């Protein structure tokens, strides 16, 4: 589930949205995707909110991906509907009209990496790891990584990550343009 907190800053309020499923490494299930979509849409319409920070609960994962246990029991039609719902939620973030900053505090894999890519900026803890490991499950990324990743890192680097399923460090993610800034894990929230 996603929850929100706000912090007053000199130029308005910053909403802090936290994906709160630490026991599942903040994996995205259908309910969480729906809550993210609803919450982001509401924050986009709220004139008192100037910016949004999106992060994951705990220190192990931003979002470790889609909830595989849920995907495993979906029919093909259910899987297609799930992917479409995720795409709509992430499109809403990308086109919100307000800055959405991903504070990547741990693993950002699969759907988690895709969620970070939908954000305006990506800040990462030095311990964060990124990747699109769907190919290891015989799947393609479901939430538009095939579109957003090449725009951020270029076609060649995107194909390498998508076709190998390789996990990369925060430093490497910054080198290739996937991450805007890397900071010490203890400083991520303040940054």
């Amino acid at each position: 589930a996603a929850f929100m907190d706000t912090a007053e800053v000199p130029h308005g309020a910053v909403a802090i949205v936290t994906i709160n499923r630490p026991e599942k490494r903040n994996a995205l299930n259908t309910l969480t995707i729906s809550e993210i979509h609803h919450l982001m849409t509401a924050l986009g319409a709220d004139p008192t909110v100037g910016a949004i920070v999106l992060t994951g609960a705990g220190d192990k994962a931003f979002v470790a991906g889609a909830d595989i246990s849920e995907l495993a029991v979906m029919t093909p039609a259910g899987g297609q509907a799930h992917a479409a719902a995720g795409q709509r939620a992430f499109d809403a973030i990308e086109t919100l009209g307000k800055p959405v900053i991903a504070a990547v505090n741990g693993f950002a894999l699969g759907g988690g990496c895709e969620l970070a890519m939908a954000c305006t900026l990506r800040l990462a803890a030095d311990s964060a790891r990124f990747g699109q490991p769907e190919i290891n499950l015989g799947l393609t990324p479901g939430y538009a990584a095939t579109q957003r990743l090449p725009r951020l890192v270029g076609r060649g680097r995107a194909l390498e990550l998508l076709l190998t399923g390789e996990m990369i460090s925060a430093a490497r993610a910054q080198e290739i343009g996937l991450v805007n800034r890397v900071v010490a894990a203890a400083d991520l929230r303040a940054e």
Side-chain angles (χ1 to χ4, degrees):
F3 71 89
M4 184 196 69
D5 192 7
T6 57
E8 289 296 326
V9 294
H11 301 292
V14 174
I16 301 164
V17 175
T18 303
I19 309 301
N20 189 32
R21 299 185 75 215
E23 73 287 354
K24 294 278 191 174
R25 292 195 176 184
N26 303 320
L28 299 174
N29 62 6
T30 301
L31 178 60
T32 304
I33 288 171
S34 175
E35 289 176 347
I36 290 169
H37 192 178
H38 175 77
L39 191 52
M40 288 297 187
T41 301
L43 291 171
D46 185 340
T48 66
V49 173
I52 301 159
V53 174
L54 181 61
T55 194
D59 57 3
K60 290 187 172 141
F62 170 69
V63 171
D67 190 332
I68 301 300
S69 63
E70 184 182 73
L71 289 181
V73 297
M74 285 184 180
T75 64
Q80 184 177 20
H82 178 79
Q87 290 170 18
R88 284 190 300 274
F90 292 10
D91 287 350
I93 293 168
E94 187 173 48
T95 61
L96 200 63
K98 295 179 182 181
V100 180
I101 302 164
V104 182
N105 53 310
F107 290 107
L109 304 175
C113 190
E114 290 173 289
L115 178 58
M117 286 189 280
C119 295
T120 313
L121 299 172
R122 285 152 299 286
L123 304 182
D126 53 8
S127 56
R129 307 273 290 170
F130 296 82
Q132 295 295 154
E134 291 90 345
I135 196 161
N136 298 322
L137 300 173
L139 302 171
T140 57
Y143 309 138
T146 58
Q147 305 305 304
R148 288 188 180 100
L149 189 56
R151 291 181 201 149
L152 289 169
V153 305
R155 186 173 186 265
R157 287 185 177 122
L159 284 169
E160 181 180 2
L161 289 171
L162 293 167
L163 294 175
T164 65
E166 176 187 9
M167 196 179 340
I168 61 172
S169 68
R172 179 66 179 145
Q174 184 179 24
E175 276 176 27
I176 66 174
L178 180 56
V179 166
N180 299 90
R181 190 176 303 168
V182 176
V183 299
D187 299 334
L188 182 63
R189 182 73 177 248
E191 186 71 20

